[in-house]
Structure formats: C-alpha cells, structure tokens
Amino acid sequence: AVVSTQSTGAFLVVGDPLGATTHTDLILRAVERGIPYRVIHNASIMNAIATTGLQLYNFGETVSVCFWKENWRPTSFVDKIIANLKRGLHVLCLLDIRVKEIDWSKMVRGQKVYEPPQYMSVNTALQQILENVKERGEEGDSVLSERTLGVGVARLGSENQTIIAGTLRQLVEADFGEPLHSLCIVGKLHALEADMLRHFAIKKSDIPVL
C-alpha cells in the first residue's frame, strides 16, 4: 500500500486484508487520491475453517458473536444463525476480541486506562447462544438447540491447533485451550463432511452416518 504520493509503505493485518470493511475503505481512499496500491492476500479463518471437513460452499452468512454486558445483550447473531440453519447451511461464528478498549469508568475521572484484553472462547459464545435459545422457546429449538451439532476450533493453522466436534451442549464443556477460538454450527451434512466430523467428535455416534 502506498501511504502518500512521495513514499511507499505496507499495512499489515491479521488474516486476509479484505476480510474487513476497514481495509476496503483504505483502498477507496487511495483510489480517490490517485495512489496506486497492491493487495497481497493471506490465509484467513474464512477458508482455513475447511480443515474441519465442512465444505466451504455449504456455508451461509458469517456471524459475529460479541461479548454481552450487563445492560447490553444483542441477539441479532442468533437470528442469523437460525436463518442459515433453516436453509441447511453451516454457520461460521467469529468470536469477539476486545483489545485496547478504554475503561470508561476511569476515563470520566480523567485517567486514560485500557481494560485487560479479552478473547471470547467457544464456551462463552455457546453459553450466550444457548441462553438466548432458551429464552426464545420453540422458535429457537426448531433448528437450534443443545442437540445441534457444532465444531469448535482454536489456534487454527498452528502446530497445536484444536478441533472438537459434538453437540452444542458437549462443546460448552470442552477444553479448547488458549485463544484464538472460532465456532461452526453445523447445518445439513454431506456424507464426506460427516466422516470428517466423526474424526474430531467427542462421541462419534452423535455424528450421523450418511
């Protein structure tokens, strides 16, 4: 990426550079100023998730799961999960990362203090999802329940990556270790997908034989 008309520079990001709208905005600004740019693509959770055996063309809309707070509990991500599952599509859930978040209780006293970094775990994401499903009653339970199959992944692509498949209730209790975590909620399975999931399953009999 060229940062001005007189000098050049590089903008490095985690994952693929066009996986976030922020980076698309940088391209648009460069084009408006007549500044040439080049994108070098990188590995991303968006394609690395295929390591689970779930086929990429069977995925629906990707969902972001954010940390709930005491007075802020959005549930639109559950709406999107249910909509995908009703179409038989798998759902990739990107889990919240909170880094360099200002502690506003300190800020109002004139102190610029950052909160400790937080990385959402598969366990926390599923606790929130299942809590909302329970609140919804039959609407959520029709396609999304504790018995729905899922796959949790951690540190994907590293030498100590973790992949665990099972029911959502089983995954709530599973140990995925250190961050970063991501979650897939499984839609309609192809026979080959089922065979792969059985390889990672807590209980192989929970994965249907197709």
Side-chain angles (χ1 to χ4, degrees), residues 42-118:
N42 188 20
S44 167
I45 188 64
M46 303 294 283
N47 53 22
I49 198 64
T51 303
T52 61
L54 297 177
Q55 298 169 5
L56 293 178
Y57 51 78
N58 289 337
F59 277 81
E61 182 179 358
T62 301
V63 171
S64 295
V65 182
C66 57
F67 279 112
W68 279 351
K69 297 183 179 179
E70 185 177 347
N71 57 352
W72 187 69
R73 292 162 56 97
T75 59
S76 57
F77 57 86
V78 180
D79 295 325
K80 291 182 179 180
I81 291 170
I82 291 172
N84 279 320
L85 293 179
K86 284 182 176 178
R87 297 169 59 200
L89 300 173
H90 310 316
V91 191
L92 172 60
C93 299
L94 306 180
L95 309 187
D96 204 358
I97 298 174
R98 298 177 60 83
V99 180
K100 293 202 74 174
E101 296 282 339
I102 292 175
D103 185 336
W104 291 103
S105 65
K106 300 284 196 316
M107 187 62 124
V108 295
R109 301 188 186 98
Q111 303 171 346
K112 190 173 183 180
V113 178
Y114 295 103
E115 296 178 353
Q118 286 183 286

Side-chain angles (χ1 to χ4, degrees), residues 175-190:
D175 181 7
F176 291 91
E178 295 297 310
L180 296 169
H181 293 190
S182 296
L183 168 68
C184 283
I185 298 180
V186 176
K188 183 178 180 181
L189 281 171
H190 182 277

Side-chain angles (χ1 to χ4, degrees), residues 133-150:
V133 166
K134 186 175 180 180
E135 292 170 354
R136 290 169 184 247
E138 292 182 4
E139 178 190 353
D141 190 57
S142 61
V143 291
L144 180 60
S145 72
E146 293 184 349
R147 300 182 300 278
T148 302
L149 292 177

Side-chain angles (χ1 to χ4, degrees), residues 152-158 160-163 176-182:
V153 301
R155 304 169 305 283
L156 203 57
S158 70
N160 67 337
Q161 70 179 16
T162 295
I163 304 173
F176 291 91
E178 295 297 310
L180 296 169
H181 293 190
S182 296

